């Protein structure tokens, strides 16, 4: 991505260091998130990140105080909350007033805060940001949010405020059934229709739409338990490896790697973790599989490995990158000794 000229939208000091290590210039980094710590703000200012998206007056005051301490002007945009329902899963819808995200447009709060930035000696206004949620499969909420953003930005400009950048966030959804590609063309046409005759520099933060299809989780079947109602296909991957089905009731396309015309039965595909919520799929028509057979879970490249954990002291999967026909182990699987070695037992003799 860095080689293609992309910047990075980050939400933690760790992601900042990761983006910098990948070769993304600090000036092309946008620091988002509702809860940046003072240490993270210091690091962002020390590294000269291009834009910090503030999400509250309280956070802005911390950014200002740290910039003042260092005699700097921090480049800030504000993320606004347009109170729009993204129509996605409630846990990844971020545009309504009831969520923790952004500064409400309604009631003049966003304007008061933007004025505050202009009056500060240690803040410089970079613009406005919006991100109403993830896995949006309908363009209408984007349109509403962007129209609200334009109305606000135009109004701010008419009042003499600088609004160089509009950051349009991410959120474009993918088809987890694997039938259609993300509709970048339709999204692009919408953005063009709204912004072509406007003089704003635009920022885009696509995540899932460019990453999900690049990852496949491979798991092996362990056992099948048959019952009158359904089969349980127990596999060696679990909720700790791919949390999305458990967390969001998310659907992932799953298929045996060895394709054949086997009879299908209604099956839950479950992991070995000690929770009923540990499943990769429920009620699927799935072919009977042999013990040891490899099964592919598609679209695991976004919110997959990064949300994985070592729950039940399960080593996370190795990560393999296949690029231009060459196989690279980019994250080896940890041994149990390595996992235990990361911990300190104060009572060990
Ligand atoms: C501020 C912000 N921008 C962009 C994204 C990326 O969203 P998506 O992966 O849906 O494109 C997120 C995801 O949570 C986000 O919080």
């Amino acid at each position: 991505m860095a080689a293609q000229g992309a910047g990075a939208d980050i939400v933690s000091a760790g992601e900042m260091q990761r983006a910098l290590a990948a070769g993304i210039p600090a000036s092309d980094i946008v620091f988002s998130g509702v809860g940046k710590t003072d240490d993270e703000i210091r690091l962002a200012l020390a590294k000269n990140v291009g834009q910090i998206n503030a999400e509250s007056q309280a956070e802005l005051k911390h950014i200002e105080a740290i910039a003042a301490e260092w005699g700097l002007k921090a480049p800030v945009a504000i993320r606004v909350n347009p109170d729009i329902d993204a129509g996605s899963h409630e846990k990844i819808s971020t545009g309504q007033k009831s969520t923790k995200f952004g500064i409400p447009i309604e009631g003049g709060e966003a304007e008061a805060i933007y004025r505050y930035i202009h009056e500060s000696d240690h803040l410089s206004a970079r613009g406005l940001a919006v991100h109403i949620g993830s896995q949006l499969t309908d363009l209408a909420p984007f349109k509403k949010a962007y129209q609200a953003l334009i109305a606000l930005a135009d109004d701010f400009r008419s009042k003499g405020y600088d609004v160089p950048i509009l950051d349009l966030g991410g959120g474009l959804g993918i088809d987890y059934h694997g039938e259609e590609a993300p509709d970048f063309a339709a999204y692009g046409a919408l953005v063009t229709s709204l912004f072509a005759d406007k003089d704003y520099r635009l920022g885009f933060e696509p995540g899932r739409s460019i990453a999900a299809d690049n990852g496949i989780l491979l798991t092996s079947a362990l056992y099948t338990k048959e019952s009158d109602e359904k089969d349980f296909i127990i596999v060696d991957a679990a909720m700790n490896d791919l949390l999305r089905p458990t967390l969001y009731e998310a659907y992932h396309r799953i298929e045996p790697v060895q394709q054949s015309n086997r009879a299908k039965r209604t099956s839950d595909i479950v992991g070995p973790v000690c929770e009923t919520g540990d499943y990769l799929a429920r009620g699927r028509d799935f072919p009977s599989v042999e013990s040891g057979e490899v099964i592919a879970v598609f679209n695991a490249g976004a919110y997959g490995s990064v949300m994985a954990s070592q729950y039940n002291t399960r080593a996370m999967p190795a990560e393999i990158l296949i690029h231009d026909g060459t196989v690279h182990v980019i994250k080896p699987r940890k041994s149990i000794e390595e996992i235990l070695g990361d911990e300190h037992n104060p009572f060990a003799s």
Side-chain angles (χ1 to χ4, degrees), residues 251-254 265-267 269 280-286:
Y251 178 99
H252 280 262
R253 185 163 67 93
I254 304 180
R265 280 174 56 85
T266 304
S267 307
I269 303 170
L280 299 176
R282 288 201 292 183
R284 285 286 166 90
D285 279 342
F286 207 78

Side-chain angles (χ1 to χ4, degrees), residues 9 32 79 131 133-135 170-172 205-208 303:
D9 165 53
S32 302
R79 173 171 174 181
H131 173 76
S134 194
Q135 186 53 16
L172 187 61
E205 301 172 351
R208 184 194 311 271
Y303 309 103

Side-chain angles (χ1 to χ4, degrees), residues 263-339:
K264 292 184 175 173
R265 280 174 56 85
T266 304
S267 307
D268 284 4
I269 303 170
V270 302
V273 161
C274 56
E275 301 206 13
T276 305
D278 173 33
Y279 49 80
L280 299 176
R282 288 201 292 183
R284 285 286 166 90
D285 279 342
F286 207 78
S288 58
V289 285
E290 302 288 328
S291 184
E293 199 172 329
V294 180
I295 292 171
V297 184
F298 291 89
N299 299 114
Y303 309 103
S305 134
V306 289
M307 289 177 105
S309 76
Q310 294 177 161
Y311 184 37
N312 280 188
T313 313
R314 289 168 47 84
M316 294 190 289
E319 287 180 41
I320 313 292
L321 174 75
I322 304 172
H323 186 244
D324 285 343
T326 306
V327 176
H328 307 269
V329 179
I330 55 171
K331 195 172 178 189
R333 185 167 218 186
K334 280 193 173 182
S335 67
I336 304 298
E337 289 69 31
E338 285 170 314
I339 293 175

Side-chain angles (χ1 to χ4, degrees), residues 4-307:
Q4 300 289 326
D9 165 53
I10 55 117
V11 291
S12 68
E15 286 194 347
M16 192 190 314
Q17 299 287 38
R18 185 182 285 280
L20 292 169
I24 290 175
S27 56
D28 291 341
I29 292 179
V30 174
F31 194 175
S32 302
V34 290
K36 303 169 198 77
T37 66
D38 284 358
D39 282 349
E40 288 179 317
I41 295 165
R42 281 196 189 94
L43 187 68
L45 294 178
K47 298 282 182 192
N48 267 322
V49 308
Q51 181 181 321
I52 303 176
N53 288 352
E55 298 214 20
S56 63
Q57 174 84 35
E59 185 186 56
L60 204 55
K61 289 201 164 159
H62 275 245
I63 300 170
E64 185 184 33
I66 293 167
E69 221 177 88
W70 291 2
L72 302 172
K73 263 192 140 176
V76 291
I78 59 170
R79 173 171 174 181
V80 295
N81 183 317
D83 197 20
I84 286 168
D85 182 357
S88 184
H89 189 278
E90 64 160 327
K91 290 188 182 169
I92 49 173
S93 290
T94 59
Q96 296 121 301
K97 225 168 41 179
S98 56
T99 69
K100 65 183 175 182
F101 296 101
I103 297 166
I105 295 177
E106 204 185 86
E109 205 176 320
E111 182 172 351
I113 292 179
Y114 211 66
R115 186 180 324 117
Y116 181 89
I117 295 172
H118 274 79
E119 288 165 359
S120 168
D121 290 336
H122 296 288
L123 299 172
S124 87
R126 304 299 294 146
L128 304 173
V130 74
H131 173 76
I132 57 167
S134 194
Q135 186 53 16
L136 275 73
T137 48
D138 177 8
L139 291 180
F142 282 121
K143 186 172 180 185
K144 270 170 86 176
Y146 296 164
Q147 283 170 330
L149 196 68
I150 291 169
L152 190 68
D154 287 355
D155 179 50
F156 282 6
R157 278 189 170 173
S158 76
K159 292 172 174 161
Y161 301 123
D162 301 323
V163 189
I165 295 169
L166 295 182
D167 177 346
L168 305 187
L172 187 61
I174 67 153
D175 177 8
Y176 279 97
H177 292 263
E179 279 146 29
E180 284 171 35
D183 202 346
F184 291 111
Y187 177 79
L190 171 70
V191 170
T192 304
S193 72
L194 294 172
F195 293 94
D197 62 349
K198 299 275 172 190
D199 175 26
Y200 294 105
R201 187 173 163 216
L202 300 180
F204 299 92
E205 301 172 351
R208 184 194 311 271
S209 56
I210 58 173
D213 195 26
N214 295 320
I216 295 173
L217 172 66
L218 295 179
T219 181
S220 295
L222 296 172
Y223 313 108
T224 300
K225 269 171 89 166
E226 292 178 9
S227 77
D228 297 346
E229 203 183 315
K230 60 185 170 186
D231 287 358
F232 292 97
I233 299 173
I234 303 165
V235 299
D236 67 355
M239 62 185 277
N240 71 295
D241 303 306
L242 182 66
L243 189 57
R244 298 190 67 259
T246 302
L247 189 61
Y248 311 132
E249 297 295 341
Y251 178 99
H252 280 262
R253 185 163 67 93
I254 304 180
E255 285 175 25
V257 167
Q258 205 63 51
Q259 298 277 299
S260 64
N261 287 328
R262 285 170 274 183
K264 292 184 175 173
R265 280 174 56 85
T266 304
S267 307
D268 284 4
I269 303 170
V270 302
V273 161
C274 56
E275 301 206 13
T276 305
D278 173 33
Y279 49 80
L280 299 176
R282 288 201 292 183
R284 285 286 166 90
D285 279 342
F286 207 78
S288 58
V289 285
E290 302 288 328
S291 184
E293 199 172 329
V294 180
I295 292 171
V297 184
F298 291 89
N299 299 114
Y303 309 103
S305 134
V306 289
M307 289 177 105

